[in-house]
Amino acid sequence: MRTYKGYIMLLVAFGITALLIFVPLIIGINLSFTNRNLLYPTTQYVGLNNYINLFHDPEFWIAFLHSGILVSVVVALEYVLGILLALTLKQNIPGIHFFRGIVMVTWVIPIVATVIMWQFMSQPGYGFINMILTSIGLKNYATYFFGSMTFAFPMIMILHLWRNVPFFGIAFLAAMQAIPEELYEAASIDGASKWERFKYITLPGIKYTGLIMITIHVIWTFNQFSIVYIATGGGPINATDVLPTYLYRQVWSNYNIGYGASIGVIMLLILLAFFFIFNRTYGRETT
Amino acid sequence: MKNEKRKTHPISYISLILFFSFFLLPVLWILYASFKTGSSITNGKLFSLGGFTLENYRTIVQRGDFLLYSLNSLIIAISVTILSLFTGIIGGYALSRYAIKAKNTWISIMFIAQMFPGVLLIIPLYDLMLNYHLVNTIIGIVIAQSTLTIPFAMWLLKGYFDGIPRSLDEAAMLDGAGVLKTLWSIILPVSIPGVAIASFYSFVVSWGNYLMVSVLVQSNSTATLPIALYRLSSSLTLQWGNIAAATIFIVLPTVILFAIFQRWLVSGLLGGAVKQ
Amino acid sequence: MKKKFLVFSVLILTLSLVSLATINLTFWSMPFSTGEVGMNYVKWFQENVKKSLPNINVSTYYGPGQYDAMLKAFVVQATTGQPAVIEGLTEQMDTYVKMGLIADLDQYFNSWSEKDQFLPNAIAACEVNGKLYGIPYNINVRGLLYRKDIFAKYNLKVPTTWSELVTTAASITELTGGKVYGFDFCSSVNEPRAFQEFMSWFDQVNNREQMFVNVDGKWKLNATVEEFQKIFQLYYDLTFDNAPYTPFNQNNRGGTWEQEDLGYIAGKYAMVPMGPWIWGHINDNALAKTILEDDSAVTSLPIPQGGVKAAYLEVKPIMMNKYTKDPSAAWDLIKFITSEKAMAGWDSAEGTLPPRKDAMNDPVFNNWWAKSWEALMPEGVGLAPINWNPPEYAILTAMDTVIYGVSTPQEAATWLYNKLNELASSGVLGS
């Protein structure tokens, strides 16, 4: 009897989820096999045509490349910087509790606000970054970074890092604090150096946390639309175009819903592939 | 040996200053700008003592209807949080406790649901809303935003419940409590960190959400802060002072909430892992 | 549970019956939303629309505030019936017509007593396939806005050709040591203004002919690689000539209208391809007032060798949502918005010109500014009624590759030519 109540609970929860998420998802996948375009009243099934066209589409591959670079570089840096931040926060410096408390604030700030803050700081003339550059003699580099072919993509990466490194940092800090102090003491008695203590005690201790963080952030970064769109719209030219912004453009500039849907499905497949491989390699440790 | 560990290496101080500058200066800078007049911001000087004013805040509240938008954002965010918690707790608990057929499939699907890009999801979602007359309604927006938060909440809570020993459940059941009572009186009180973080996450995502709202909002009665901020930043009367004030407006509640919730942050996110 | 549901539904029913008495309409307008038209006018509008149309309750929410965002939102939600009335650009109007989202206004307009007040070319610009889809409220033709004080100070001649434009602008940048750049233009890929500026040059090179013409129901490209190359060469010269004192500030690449307009009134440029709306900034601060009132002058845009006088004609329409539940109320609202007083008020506040004869005669337009822009009207060339979004994106992408030094003008021109042909034959421009 009691088990049935449990089933009903589950049904309710999944019912809600199914309606909200799976129905649109299935409709979306279905759309990818059509040539639906908002400019035309009729829609037909075109099988795999959209996918074949994607394969031959140079803009798609550019966006794909950028997405790939963005995710790998950003998540890798977040991992490394996260560890560094955690190590820093672990120290018993006076006032450290304040910093521990406040550093994750970058993650809760709405993305619109984050982009605006950085755009403001990048304004030529009165932007904070450019004023600093000018004052230390690097005036030639003072420009609107989001409009520069060379600097726009690195700036996008910096935005991602700014937002997410504290998340990594706090998570690693917690994991590090959970490592028993005795392990370190025993190791130093045995003559282990600081680096060896780090490598053989700290790193394994934070492994689980690290894997979860990486998984979450690969998904978030890969699907992240707002940061690039609000900051540069994918420009200048294609310099910062990523798959989500390319999809958006296909849907909202060309009104090519079917084609856009196929990009979405490809994105989903890529993430699934990543998840599958990742799970295979580290699966045991994440369950 | 013990003394060596207690001494803090100077590099830690440098590291702290670098990190602190990088993460907090932008926020402090915009806070500073929100209290300055437009011309004193654009005069190109790093710091000037003149030009401090409350005018920016006054302008956006009076001219920008910012209080109304804040109210809308608040109502929507709270509703999203409640809905996500409800679904997340029930679903997470069931997934954690019950041996359900195809359980792993469900879990994987829940995980995959977070992967589908929001940009594309809007269109079928919008079509559905249109058919049920949910466009430009608070309910519609709540539903749309919940698609972003429910999977994560359920996943997080399931993970957290996994870390709570079943013996607690069994003890309660032996005492005659039903499933719902067990959940409510025994499990939830022990799950405060997990629940806190799930609600915090839902609130923050809803509060900052722009994409869904941009599609579903048609009037002032449902407009939220991200839309207002985005509009302001593209306005002809581009006053950085106003934009800065509006940014602080939108950022402040999340920072305050963060201050309240951060003590549960770590244990909530990592649940079982940290305990081990 | 069932009881609650019943009570709930009865409540909803009652509320909807009550709201049926007054008609609620939403009107989206970019200048209202961003305050570009000035809060005084918006207040006047709100008070007077209540007086003229007491049965209609017009929402005080005027839309997302950016043409780009307005279009996307409208495309998605037009079938809900709101916004009932929407303001926009003719490019957008063309897109809305293709998608079947806005109503054909012929019948309404023809039975309106005031219809003869409207300028014929403005009405023509609002027609698609011979049917009227919008009532124009704003008309302007682009011209060259320049700082006559700077020209006087350095004894320079106002340029009338493209090559003069480049050399004069470079001189100004050099003479002021880079403090004031000779010229500025928009180039962001999402910026309608950048596209419109390009089209001014194009119209001059293409003999005022349309870029796309309809042949047997299909749209065909009516331009050559050489023409595009000529225009891109202009952009190239403006960006790279006479370094480091280039006519155009390379830091402004990827710039939007804000950068151009606000930069001009801050004294950053000596010449810009502009329209009359910039007058709306006159009260921003003392410098803006001085620059606009005392130091500025208006003339035709410079033309290329072998080209003709031409400039982008902008007509902005007020359109009716085809799915509105109250078309006659929506029409009443449109009539109010485009009535003589309302239009004169709106346009004078924004500094643009009204496409109505009676409004144009309003003394508020009897000043040197309005007269200067009025004089440029004959040069105006409008847009063909197609979906301009994809060609716009292609044109600006190509232009960007030139000004960022990624391709030569010829490479970019060839690419653009092929891309536009591709778009035309793919049918995405409409039929």
Side-chain angles (χ1 to χ4, degrees):
Chain A
M1 275 274 252
R2 288 177 189 144
T3 329
Y4 278 119
K5 242 194 194 162
Y7 258 108
I8 291 173
M9 276 169 51
L10 195 60
L11 239 60
V12 167
F14 286 132
I16 297 176
T17 320
L19 194 65
L20 299 188
I21 296 167
F22 295 118
V23 174
L25 203 129
I26 293 173
I27 295 178
I29 297 177
N30 188 44
L31 277 174
S32 72
F33 297 114
T34 70
N35 63 358
R36 172 130 188 250
N37 185 314
L38 286 182
L39 289 178
Y40 301 115
T42 55
T43 311
Q44 294 146 343
Y45 278 98
V46 291
L48 292 172
N49 267 0
N50 287 330
Y51 295 97
I52 297 174
N53 290 337
L54 265 185
F55 190 73
H56 293 119
D57 185 348
E59 279 182 78
F60 169 73
W61 290 109
I62 292 178
F64 180 77
L65 183 71
H66 288 154
S67 279
I69 297 177
L70 181 72
V71 173
S72 9
V73 172
V74 161
V75 177
L77 279 178
E78 284 170 358
Y79 189 85
V80 170
L81 290 173
I83 292 181
L84 287 177
L85 179 62
L87 287 173
T88 311
L89 290 175
K90 197 170 168 228
Q91 306 303 317
N92 270 322
I93 302 173
I96 197 72
H97 288 283
F98 172 71
F99 295 129
R100 284 183 195 160
I102 205 153
V103 79
M104 233 188 104
V105 83
T106 64
W107 186 78
V108 304
I109 292 178
I111 289 178
V112 192
T114 304
V115 175
I116 286 179
M117 272 192 261
W118 281 89
Q119 282 178 330
F120 178 45
M121 295 200 309
S122 312
Q123 291 292 327
Y126 52 85
F128 184 69
I129 302 177
N130 288 317
M131 285 203 273
I132 299 281
L133 283 177
T134 316
S135 64
I136 61 175
L138 287 174
K139 188 171 183 199
N140 290 336
Y141 288 98
T143 174
Y144 183 58
F145 296 105
F146 291 103
S148 148
M149 286 288 284
T150 20
F151 292 118
F153 199 59
M155 271 311 265
I156 297 288
M157 290 197 209
I158 291 180
L159 284 181
H160 276 97
L161 290 175
W162 189 81
R163 186 172 166 75
N164 294 311
V165 166
F167 200 140
F168 270 82
I170 295 292
F172 282 149
L173 176 68
M176 283 183 197
Q177 286 174 329
I179 300 173
E181 193 63 32
E182 300 85 54
L183 283 176
Y184 288 109
E185 285 172 5
S188 31
I189 291 175
D190 280 349
S193 70
K194 254 195 175 171
W195 168 250
E196 281 169 338
R197 286 200 298 257
F198 177 74
K199 188 171 170 194
Y200 294 111
I201 302 175
T202 316
L203 279 185
I206 62 172
K207 190 172 189 186
Y208 170 65
T209 311
L211 292 174
I212 295 201
M213 284 283 127
I214 291 179
T215 315
I216 297 178
H217 280 91
V218 163
I219 298 174
W220 279 355
T221 310
F222 191 70
N223 280 342
Q224 179 57 253
F225 165 78
S226 307
I227 289 184
V228 176
Y229 187 72
I230 299 178
T232 61
I237 309 179
N238 286 331
T240 58
D241 205 19
V242 287
L243 287 172
T245 51
Y246 181 56
L247 194 163
Y248 187 84
R249 205 163 59 240
Q250 280 301 326
V251 170
W252 294 108
S253 276
N254 296 352
Y255 304 114
N256 224 332
I257 312 275
Y259 196 58
S262 60
I263 301 173
V265 172
I266 295 285
M267 285 173 68
L268 181 59
L269 290 175
I270 293 174
L271 282 176
L272 282 174
F274 165 77
F275 180 54
F276 185 68
I277 298 173
F278 201 69
N279 215 24
R280 267 287 165 91
T281 332
Y282 299 105
R284 258 161 248 134
E285 338 215 12
T286 51
T287 39
Chain B
M1 281 297 173
K2 276 200 176 163
N3 284 337
E4 189 194 296
K5 245 179 286 167
R6 296 273 158 83
K7 200 169 38 171
T8 323
H9 203 279
I11 212 175
S12 305
Y13 286 96
I14 299 174
S15 175
L16 187 67
I17 291 174
L18 284 175
F19 276 121
F20 177 77
S21 313
F22 180 60
F23 292 123
L24 292 175
L25 273 182
V27 186
L28 293 175
W29 183 251
I30 206 127
L31 182 67
Y32 165 72
S34 71
F35 290 112
K36 303 210 75 186
T37 58
S39 40
S40 71
I41 294 174
T42 55
N43 64 8
K45 285 189 229 138
L46 209 54
F47 277 115
S48 43
L49 288 173
F52 278 99
T53 173
L54 284 176
E55 194 58 40
N56 296 323
Y57 288 97
R58 208 174 296 141
T59 312
I60 60 171
V61 167
Q62 284 178 343
R63 231 184 63 176
D65 275 335
F66 261 73
L67 291 176
L68 171 65
Y69 302 139
S70 308
L71 189 66
N72 285 336
S73 282
L74 193 66
I75 296 176
I76 292 172
I78 292 179
S79 312
V80 168
T81 307
I82 295 176
L83 182 60
S84 305
L85 272 185
F86 176 73
T87 316
I89 290 176
I90 292 183
Y93 185 71
L95 277 176
S96 173
R97 293 310 192 233
Y98 290 98
I100 298 160
K101 284 180 231 167
K103 172 160 151 175
N104 280 328
T105 320
W106 272 116
I107 297 177
S108 306
I109 291 180
M110 205 40 30
F111 194 64
I112 290 169
Q114 300 176 62
M115 296 189 202
F116 205 59
V119 219
L120 183 58
L121 215 56
I122 318 171
I123 298 184
L125 204 62
Y126 179 81
D127 274 342
L128 283 174
M129 300 251 167
L130 201 57
N131 291 333
Y132 292 101
H133 303 286
L134 288 172
V135 177
N136 198 41
T137 58
I138 300 279
I139 297 178
I141 297 174
V142 168
I143 292 176
Q145 291 183 349
S146 299
T147 65
L148 303 171
T149 56
I150 287 181
F152 187 80
M154 204 182 287
W155 186 62
L156 181 85
L157 286 165
K158 182 232 173 233
Y160 198 84
F161 289 144
D162 280 346
I164 298 176
R166 291 209 185 197
S167 44
L168 274 173
D169 297 53
E170 284 157 17
M173 301 249 199
L174 280 173
D175 282 345
V179 169
L180 285 174
K181 186 145 196 294
T182 313
L183 181 57
W184 182 258
S185 333
I186 310 290
I187 304 298
L188 279 186
V190 191
S191 315
I192 300 237
V195 172
I197 294 317
S199 31
F200 179 65
Y201 177 83
S202 306
F203 189 89
V204 166
V205 167
S206 166
W207 185 263
N209 179 262
Y210 174 74
L211 197 57
M212 304 276 169
V213 200
S214 70
V215 166
L216 293 174
V217 163
Q218 289 186 43
S219 64
N220 263 356
S221 58
T222 53
T224 60
L225 285 174
I227 279 196
L229 185 62
Y230 187 68
R231 240 198 291 158
L232 201 67
S233 72
S234 60
S235 150
L236 187 82
T237 50
L238 188 87
Q239 299 282 359
W240 278 111
N242 292 348
I243 295 174
T247 308
I248 297 295
F249 224 95
I250 201 178
V251 162
L252 205 61
T254 52
V255 172
I256 293 175
L257 272 182
F258 174 69
I260 299 174
F261 278 82
Q262 60 117 336
R263 66 177 139 134
W264 292 303
L265 197 64
V266 169
S267 39
L269 275 172
L270 304 173
V274 179
K275 284 196 190 139
Q276 283 144 23
Chain C
M1 261 314 203
K2 270 201 187 142
K3 240 190 227 169
K4 274 191 197 165
F5 184 72
L6 209 65
V7 170
F8 190 62
S9 4
V10 168
L11 199 67
I12 296 288
L13 207 65
T14 331
L15 279 173
S16 18
L17 283 172
V18 166
S19 61
L20 274 176
T22 47
I23 299 172
N24 289 310
L25 292 183
T26 305
F27 166 47
W28 280 9
S29 156
M30 187 282 260
F32 281 34
S33 196
T34 59
E36 180 177 304
V37 73
M39 291 323 284
N40 288 336
Y41 180 73
V42 179
K43 269 205 200 93
W44 179 93
F45 180 85
Q46 287 169 343
E47 286 164 10
N48 285 278
V49 79
K50 266 203 198 86
K51 283 189 210 152
S52 301
L53 307 167
N55 294 340
I56 301 180
N57 180 27
V58 180
S59 165
T60 52
Y61 176 69
Y62 300 109
Q66 256 191 338
Y67 283 125
D68 194 47
M70 279 165 78
L71 180 135
K72 289 168 173 38
F74 187 65
V75 163
V76 169
Q77 62 193 49
T79 47
T80 64
Q82 299 281 19
V85 176
I86 182 168
E87 174 257 354
L89 308 167
T90 36
E91 301 99 281
Q92 297 182 323
M93 180 185 72
D94 296 329
T95 306
Y96 296 150
V97 171
K98 291 283 168 301
M99 295 188 186
L101 300 176
I102 54 178
D104 158 16
L105 300 173
D106 279 319
Q107 275 189 323
Y108 295 111
F109 186 68
N110 287 329
S111 48
W112 191 11
S113 54
E114 298 177 29
K115 67 175 182 187
D116 292 323
Q117 289 297 332
F118 286 87
L119 298 179
N121 63 345
I123 292 293
C126 294
E127 284 176 352
V128 181
N129 295 335
K131 295 209 178 107
L132 185 68
Y133 283 98
I135 306 296
Y137 80 91
N138 173 323
I139 190 169
N140 68 73
V141 171
R142 305 301 162 85
L144 187 73
L145 179 68
Y146 65 95
R147 294 279 303 277
K148 60 182 184 190
D149 58 324
I150 293 183
F151 277 81
K153 178 172 176 186
Y154 296 108
N155 218 350
L156 298 166
K157 180 177 155 289
V158 181
T160 52
T161 69
W162 284 11
S163 44
E164 284 174 10
L165 174 67
V166 174
T167 45
T168 314
S171 313
I172 293 178
T173 311
E174 193 163 347
L175 288 165
T176 61
K179 279 223 177 79
V180 178
Y181 272 83
F183 193 71
D184 190 60
F185 58 86
C186 294
S187 51
S188 162
V189 122
N190 296 317
E191 179 56 64
R193 186 81 74 75
F195 165 69
Q196 295 165 351
E197 289 172 0
F198 177 89
M199 290 310 284
S200 285
W201 308 128
F202 178 79
D203 292 331
Q204 293 174 353
V205 164
N206 204 30
N207 225 345
R208 300 175 66 90
E209 280 172 28
Q210 285 297 324
M211 191 187 278
F212 292 97
V213 287
N214 198 316
V215 178
D216 299 326
K218 280 203 137 249
W219 288 99
K220 286 206 172 344
L221 179 64
N222 179 33
T224 65
V225 176
E226 288 72 35
E227 286 178 334
F228 291 135
Q229 187 175 338
K230 214 167 175 177
I231 305 172
F232 288 147
Q233 188 64 49
L234 172 66
Y235 278 101
Y236 182 87
D237 295 339
L238 286 168
T239 311
F240 295 107
D241 259 26
N242 200 41
Y245 297 111
T246 54
F248 167 70
N249 186 348
Q250 293 180 357
N251 276 337
N252 285 356
R253 287 180 289 192
T256 58
W257 65 260
E258 288 105 317
Q259 198 156 35
E260 191 179 302
D261 290 14
L262 299 176
Y264 182 80
I265 58 164
K268 298 216 187 107
Y269 329 115
M271 296 183 276
V272 281
M274 188 54 68
W277 59 79
I278 198 172
W279 193 258
H281 283 287
I282 225 182
N283 293 316
D284 275 15
N285 56 59
L287 179 61
K289 198 170 167 84
T290 318
I291 287 183
L292 289 173
E293 273 183 350
D294 305 329
D295 299 334
S296 295
V298 178
T299 186
S300 306
L301 285 169
I303 56 177
Q305 209 174 25
V308 298
K309 267 198 175 179
Y312 182 74
L313 170 77
E314 176 167 55
V315 175
K316 290 203 201 171
I318 305 282
M319 304 167 272
M320 184 196 299
N321 186 339
K322 190 164 162 187
Y323 294 91
T324 175
K325 303 194 173 58
D326 308 283
S328 51
W331 175 243
D332 286 337
L333 179 58
I334 294 180
K335 276 196 291 185
F336 175 80
I337 295 169
T338 55
S339 60
E340 185 204 335
K341 274 247 152 8
M343 200 190 278
W346 186 336
D347 287 320
S348 57
E350 265 201 275
T352 48
L353 294 169
R356 273 180 74 128
K357 295 184 208 137
D358 48 9
M360 191 82 94
N361 288 330
D362 192 307
V364 81
F365 294 111
N366 194 13
N367 55 62
W368 72 270
W369 182 261
K371 292 277 176 253
S372 308
W373 293 102
E374 218 184 302
L376 300 176
M377 286 288 207
E379 294 179 26
V381 180
L383 288 176
I386 61 164
N387 172 24
W388 278 100
N389 248 317
E392 204 173 307
Y393 187 76
I395 291 170
L396 295 177
T397 304
M399 172 169 66
D400 279 355
T401 61
V402 173
I403 63 176
Y404 277 104
V406 170
S407 5
T408 64
Q410 187 185 26
E411 288 166 354
T414 314
W415 180 87
L416 181 62
Y417 178 80
N418 293 330
K419 185 80 184 170
L420 290 177
N421 264 323
E422 208 184 288
L423 288 173
S425 47
S426 77
V428 77
L429 302 178
S431 50

